[in-house]
Amino acid sequence: MRTVFNISGLWLCLLAALPARAQVVDSAASPAPQQLTVLQDTSYIVVRDIVVAGNKRTRRSIILREIGIKPGDTIRLRNLNTILEANRKQLLNTSLFLNVLYNVKDWQGNEANIVFDVWERWYLLAFPVFKLADRNFNQWWVEQKKSLRRVNVGVKAWQDNLTGRNDELYTDISFGYTQKFVLGYTLPYIDRKLRHGIGFSASFSRNREINYISENNKQQFFRQDDFLRRQMAFGVSYTYRKAISTRHQAFLTYFSEKVADSVAVLNPDYLGKGRNGVHYAELLYRLDYIQADSWQYPLVGQSFRGEISKAGFGPVNDIHYVKIRLKGAKYWQYAPKTYGAVSLLGQAKFTDELPYAASRAMGYQEDYLRGLEYYVVDGTAFFILKNTLRRELLNFKMKLPIVPKKFSNLPIRVLAKAYGDMGYGYSKHGLNGQLSNRMLYTAGVGIDVVSFYDTCVRFEYSINQMGEKGLFLHAKLDM
């Protein structure tokens, strides 16, 4: 399937930045500052209760699920602000709130209440979309010459936090280059202990143009008036999350793809064996672990994602392989406002035969080296190593007119960065050109603009090992 660049998301990206810092402990309700200074090393607080305020839709149990302290806990005063700030950030990581404030109130001796005041987002969003069908903005702008034939228009809508349990109902209807319909729902918790969740998704799409082969590490396209490709997918998912940082997921998905006979003639290996249709099921297990200051734009912490999947089993096995995919990232602070990051991604498919449609490796979705956006490397295995140094330049809020007061302060954060990437894509037959089966290197500098609603705009000037230079625009985090 083709990766879509969402131009309509750019207006959200320019609405963006990390939320404001937390509030300090309420000095009017707590011991005097002088007393805290004297008693800090030996004094403690016993948590009488956790009080939640501001949640009009979100259920209290969902908020308490993300907080790592409970009534009866004892906390040293010298650690209090650090612990409360970590819990504030965790609540922000749920993507349910624009901001979270904390406070300590109602002191009686060593006992007090911990108060979290949450600012809920707009949970119902619907807007017209203008999407590019190409892998990234530069490919559309330069190689496809800004062709409006390669544009999708439609409506995208989602209802977050539908029942107050952090569940989501979403749909996407598009016309143009791709005619597409997507419907899905996720419910993260279905049990009283808030550990087990379920979801489902369904999608249908069809195209009059198809990327039927790659030559010299460039996609080649074929177009005609009739529809060349039809795809359907139906899936169910199960989630288990006992702790806060670790999540287990299982997905069972049925895929069906049909292409016109002309595609099978142009490339008999597109679906393999000269076929014009395939049906297969895929079972995937995923493990996520993340401990970071922000799950949307992390600057300090670490993350890991591991996946293993089996495609093709039972009567639906026209395409079959075992895939292993691993990604780890480490983020740390060098100095005030200066941050480093390194990530390593690797993927391998084990199979006796892999058709072209299932052999995509580097260059698709987010699996690319910065500076090689115009190229693809197809094959059965690859790895990508990314290193980034960031420096915060600006961190401010802009007042928006007309909108409600709670949403009127638009936080914007701007960071400069320098980066270097390396990678390797393996193809048994050297499928598509000189970039296969060799080490690849890129480097560059750029600017990130980040904001709330989990958005990020990236402007990057990169150079690759072939000496090619260029300015690239992206609308997602690159690590």
Side-chain angles (χ1 to χ4, degrees), residues 104-122:
V104 180
K105 291 186 175 181
D106 302 324
W107 286 79
Q108 294 180 3
N110 288 329
E111 293 187 353
N113 293 334
I114 306 295
V115 180
F116 289 94
D117 186 8
V118 298
W119 298 10
E120 294 186 322
R121 297 183 175 202
W122 276 322

Side-chain angles (χ1 to χ4, degrees), residues 30-136:
S30 60
Q34 307 91 287
Q35 292 176 305
L36 280 177
T37 302
V38 174
L39 301 175
Q40 222 171 32
D41 291 336
T42 58
S43 298
Y44 61 89
I45 177 177
V46 177
V47 180
R48 183 189 307 110
D49 194 13
I50 306 294
V51 179
V52 177
N55 54 317
K56 296 180 180 180
R57 177 185 291 270
T58 311
R59 299 190 181 192
R60 183 174 183 270
S61 59
I62 296 298
I63 297 174
L64 295 180
R65 169 71 170 81
E66 304 299 324
I67 296 175
I69 54 179
K70 296 178 175 58
D73 285 355
T74 298
I75 305 173
R76 294 286 184 185
L77 287 182
R78 64 174 179 267
N79 300 326
L80 183 58
N81 273 333
T82 301
I83 292 173
L84 295 183
E85 173 65 11
N87 282 276
R88 185 190 79 91
K89 289 180 177 179
Q90 179 56 34
L91 288 174
L92 290 173
N93 285 333
T94 65
S95 296
L96 291 173
F97 312 112
L98 288 174
N99 200 3
V100 177
L101 308 177
Y102 60 73
N103 219 323
V104 180
K105 291 186 175 181
D106 302 324
W107 286 79
Q108 294 180 3
N110 288 329
E111 293 187 353
N113 293 334
I114 306 295
V115 180
F116 289 94
D117 186 8
V118 298
W119 298 10
E120 294 186 322
R121 297 183 175 202
W122 276 322
Y123 294 128
L124 176 60
L125 293 174
F127 53 86
V129 296
F130 180 89
K131 294 181 180 179
L132 306 180
D134 293 294
R135 292 178 295 108
N136 55 68

Side-chain angles (χ1 to χ4, degrees), residues 2-22:
R2 301 177 66 78
T3 301
V4 175
F5 184 90
N6 188 347
I7 291 295
S8 64
L10 286 180
W11 71 271
L12 282 178
C13 297
L14 297 175
L15 283 182
L18 297 178
R21 302 288 294 176

Side-chain angles (χ1 to χ4, degrees), residues 16-32:
L18 297 178
R21 302 288 294 176
Q23 299 296 298
V24 296
V25 176
D26 181 11
S27 59
S30 60

Side-chain angles (χ1 to χ4, degrees), residues 357-369:
S359 65
R360 296 179 174 181
M362 291 196 298
Y364 302 93
Q365 298 183 14
E366 299 307 305
D367 301 341
Y368 63 90
L369 276 68

Side-chain angles (χ1 to χ4, degrees), residues 55 172 248 300 304:
N55 54 317
D172 188 350
H248 305 264
V300 178
F304 171 81

